[in-house]
Amino acid sequence: MLKLLGSNKVLSFRNLLSKSVIQKTKNYSRSSIQSYKILTNSRLGSIERSQVLVRDNVFPKSNLICKSLNFRNIYSEKNSSKMSTTEFVRLPKSVLPVNYALELEPDFKNFTFNGQVVIDVKVNSETNTVLLNSAELSFKEAVFETSNGTKMTSSSVKLDDQNELGTITFPQALPLGTGRLHISYTGILNDKLKGFYRSKYVHPSGEERYAATTQFEAADARRALPCWDEPALKATFDVTIIAEENKTVLSNMPLLDANRVEGSQNLKRFRFDRTPIMSTYLLAFVVGEYDYIEDKDRNGVLIRVYTPLGKQELGRFALEVAVKTLPFYTDYFRISYPLPKLDLIAIADFAAGAMENWGLVTYRETALLVDPKNSSLMSKQTVAIVVGHELAHQWFGNIVTMEWWTHLWLNEGFASWIEYLCVDHCLPELDIWTHFVNSDYCRALELDSLKNSHPIEVPVGPPSEVDEIFDAISYSKGATAIRMLHSYIGDDAFRTGLHNYLEKFKYRNAVTEDLWEALTEASKKPVNELMQLWTSQTGYPYINISHLVNSNGETVLKLSQERFFSNGAKPAEQENFLWKVPITIVTKSSYPNIHKEIVLENRTDEVNLGVLASDEWIKLNKNTIGIYRSNYSPELLLKLSNVIREQTLHPTDRLGLQSDVFALSQAGLLSAADVLKFLEGYSTEENVTVWRDLISNLMSLSHTLLNTDFQPQFQAFVVKLLKPISKKLGWDPIPGESGLQGMCRATVLRTLGINGDRETIEEAKRRLEAHFNGKLVPADLRSAVYSSALYDSQEALLDRLIDLHNRSDLQEEKMRIATSLGSVRSETLIKKVLNFALSVSFFFISYF
C-alpha cells in the first residue's frame, strides 16, 4: 500500500498557508506558528503533519476535518478510550482456514450488507471453540459441518468489539481434520474508508450516488467477513457478490458467471474464480458504475483501467505504464505474474494513495488518472511511480508475504525502491533516480536526524499499531537502505538472491532475515551483518573527511563517523552507534567510475588513494546512495564548488552535495555564509529536481528570516541565483526541449514570483488574464502563473481563482490553485485564504 507520506491533501497547506500568513496573521499562538513552520519546512508524512496542526490548534479539533482526512490516531484521549485492557495475543492455530466461500449483498439505501461465508477449515487440536476476527458484524447463525456432513449449531457466539474478536462455542469438541464453518451475518457499509465501505461520487447527470469498495490493509477484512485476519494465516477465496445487473462488479479474479437472482428483476449473482492462496488483507471487491479501457501485455495478461463514467481516456497513461511494468517485473523477478488479469481502478473516496489488492489494485483518482490536456508532467511521473509501486507488490508482498506486520517495512521499502527501477526502465526520460534522491533519500535523512526518530524495523503488536509506526522512516529510509544494499552487492547478485527468495517462500510468509540470507548466499557478502545495523539502529552517521599527502606523494583520506543530529546535539555514548557504511570514492581522474570502494566499520579509518594530481577533487558517495552526510574539509569543499559550476557531476551528486551542506549548516557544523557561497556554483544548474530540492532548502532558510531586516536581502539573493536559468528557459517552450526542462521553467518562475521579482510577477499577471479569456496556460506552467500573479494581487483576482478552483472537475487543477493561494500577502487576503482552507469547499470538493 502506498501511504500518503507527504500527501497532496496535506502538502497543499504547505503553500496555501504561505510565509505571509505567519507575517501578517495575529490570531495564532507562538506554538501554532512553530507548528506551521514544521509543516512547511519538513517532509513529514501526512499523519505527522496533521497531528502537529491539530495539537497546536492551527486547525480546530473538528469532526469535519478529522473525518475528511481520515486521521485515525490523532487524539490521545480518543486512543486511550479505545485501547484494549488485555494484552494482545495472536490467533490460536487450533482451527485454521483453508478456503473462504463468501457471498455479499450490499444495500445502498440503508448502507448495510448481508453476508454468508462458508469456511473450509482444518482442526489441528481438540477444541470446542473457534476464535477469529470480527469487527462491526452481527452474527445470525454459526454452524460447523464435519467432513461426513454432520452439522452442529453453535451454543454461543461472543463478540469482543474492543479486541475485534469473535468466539464461537460449540456444544462439543470439533473433530480433528477437515470441516466447514457456516456463518451468516450482517455488516455496515461504513463511511470510514476502511473495511467494506461506501464511496460517494457524482454521476454525469449530476446526481450523487454511492459505490461500495474495500480497503483491508492492515486488518480490516474483519469488517467485511469473519476471518483469520492475520497475514500468515493464508487461504483461498471464492467471492460472490449480489448486485444490480447494470453495475460494474469486480474482485481479485475474473468473473465466472453472472446469473439472475431468483425472484428478482434486476439483481444478479456475480461469481468470481478462486484466488491463489493469499492473506486476507489482499482480498478486494468493488460495486459501482465505471468505464474502462483495456490492453494486454506482451505475456497476454489482460489489463484494464477503470475510471469514473465518461473519463476512460484519463486512464490511458496508467494503462500504458501498466502494460510495460508487468512484463518488466516478470523479467526482473524471473517469475510470471500468476493471475490471468489485472485491474486498476480509481476510487472517489480513498484514504491511501493506492492498495495492491491482488489482481484488483485500487487508487485514489489523482494517483491513477491523467488528463492529456490539463495534467502536468509531474502528475504523469507520480502516476507512473504509484503504478510501479503497487505492481511490484503483486510479487513482493502478494506471492511472498511478511509473516507479521513487524516486517511490513520490507514490503513497502522494497516497493518504494523498485518502483523507481521500473519507471527508469519504462520512462528513462524522467531522470527518476534524481527524483528518488529528492523525494525519498533526503526525506528519510531529514526525519532520521531527529532525536525522536525510530529504527526502520520496529516490533509491532496489534495491527492497530501499524498506522502509528509506519511513516517516512519505514518507507523512504527503507527504500534508501534497499538501494544502498543493491549497489553494495551489485544487480546480478541482487536479482539472483531475490529470485531464490521468492521461489523458496512462494505463496508463503517470510521474515526480513530470510531475504538477507538469500542475498548473502547470492553475493557472498555479509548482507545480514550490514543490514541488521541499518534496520535496528536509529539514525545515521555523518562522515568527517579530510586529507593529507604522505611522504610518498600519495593522497590519504582521513574518515571518521559520528551519529548526525539535525539540531547539532552531541550524541550520548549509548546513542552514538557504529554502522558498517559502504563508501564509494570518486575523483576528477576517475569520474564517472569509482576510484575506490570501502566499508567503514570503525569510528575512524584512513584510505590511501595513491598519487593524485594537485587539481584533483575528491567526492564521497557517488550518486548519493550511501546513508550518510559528507562533511568535507574547507579545501575539499571549495574544489567541489568549482565542479558544481562546471556541471561535471551527475544530478544526483549535485543534489546530494547541496542537501548535505544545508543539513550540516543546520546542525552548526558549517556556517550559513559558507553555504551561500557554495550555492553560488548552482547558478548554472539546469536540472529541475536539483532546483526543487535546493529551492526547498532555501525556503527553509527563508522562514528563519521572517520579520527581520535580512529577509529582503535574502530574497534578492534567491532572485540573483535563479535569474540565469530563468533567462535561459524563458516563459515559452523551446523547440526540442524535454519535458523536464518545462518542469524546470515552472519551478524557477514560481520561486522568482513568490520572492518578489517584478518582471516575473507582471508577466504572470498578463498570462493569467489571457488564461481567464480562453488562452490557456500550459498545465506545467499554471502553478507558477497562479502563485506569481497572486503575490501582490487585489481581492478580485483571488476571488476569480477561488471560483476557478470550485468550478474545476479535475483534482489536479484544484490542487494547483489551492497550493498557489498562499502567495497573497495582505492581511485581508490572508484571512480569506485561511477561511477558504477551513471550508467544506476545500476539504470535500477538492480532495475527497
Side-chain angles (χ1 to χ4, degrees), residues 420-437:
Y420 287 91
L421 192 71
C422 172
V423 172
D424 187 50
H425 170 81
C426 298
L427 301 165
E429 66 274 13
L430 291 181
D431 182 33
I432 205 66
W433 284 116
T434 308
H435 179 71
F436 176 92
V437 174

Side-chain angles (χ1 to χ4, degrees), residues 301-332:
V301 177
L302 178 64
I303 303 174
R304 286 179 174 174
V305 174
Y306 285 83
T307 73
L309 293 175
K311 296 185 177 181
Q312 58 264 46
E313 281 307 309
L314 273 61
R316 180 71 59 187
F317 177 74
L319 180 63
E320 292 171 356
V321 172
V323 166
K324 294 178 181 177
T325 297
L326 213 60
F328 169 80
Y329 286 136
T330 294
D331 294 343
Y332 196 84

Side-chain angles (χ1 to χ4, degrees), residues 699-760:
M699 293 304 99
S700 296
L701 185 55
S702 174
H703 288 152
T704 68
L705 301 175
L706 291 174
N707 299 318
T708 71
D709 294 338
F710 299 105
Q711 185 182 2
Q713 297 176 49
F714 185 76
Q715 287 184 307
F717 171 82
V718 173
V719 169
K720 180 181 178 182
L721 185 65
L722 271 66
K723 269 296 183 179
I725 184 63
S726 171
K727 293 295 185 183
K728 182 172 183 178
L729 293 175
W731 280 85
D732 298 308
I734 301 169
E737 75 175 12
S738 69
L740 291 177
Q741 285 176 290
M743 289 170 63
C744 188
R745 174 183 297 108
T747 298
V748 169
L749 289 173
R750 184 183 186 281
T751 307
L752 287 171
I754 63 175
N755 278 279
D757 180 56
R758 294 308 315 171
E759 182 182 0
T760 303

Side-chain angles (χ1 to χ4, degrees), residues 559-606:
L559 309 176
S560 66
Q561 63 164 300
E562 186 168 320
R563 184 174 174 186
F564 179 76
F565 285 119
S566 59
N567 65 358
K570 192 77 173 176
E573 184 177 351
Q574 68 271 17
E575 61 186 6
N576 193 17
F577 305 119
L578 270 178
W579 287 268
K580 295 180 185 292
V581 189
I583 290 179
T584 53
I585 304 168
V586 293
T587 61
K588 178 181 179 180
S589 56
S590 74
Y591 197 82
N593 298 318
I594 294 171
H595 183 94
K596 198 152 193 174
E597 193 168 4
I598 67 163
V599 176
L600 179 63
E601 301 185 16
N602 302 314
R603 185 69 63 192
T604 63
D605 205 350
E606 294 185 353

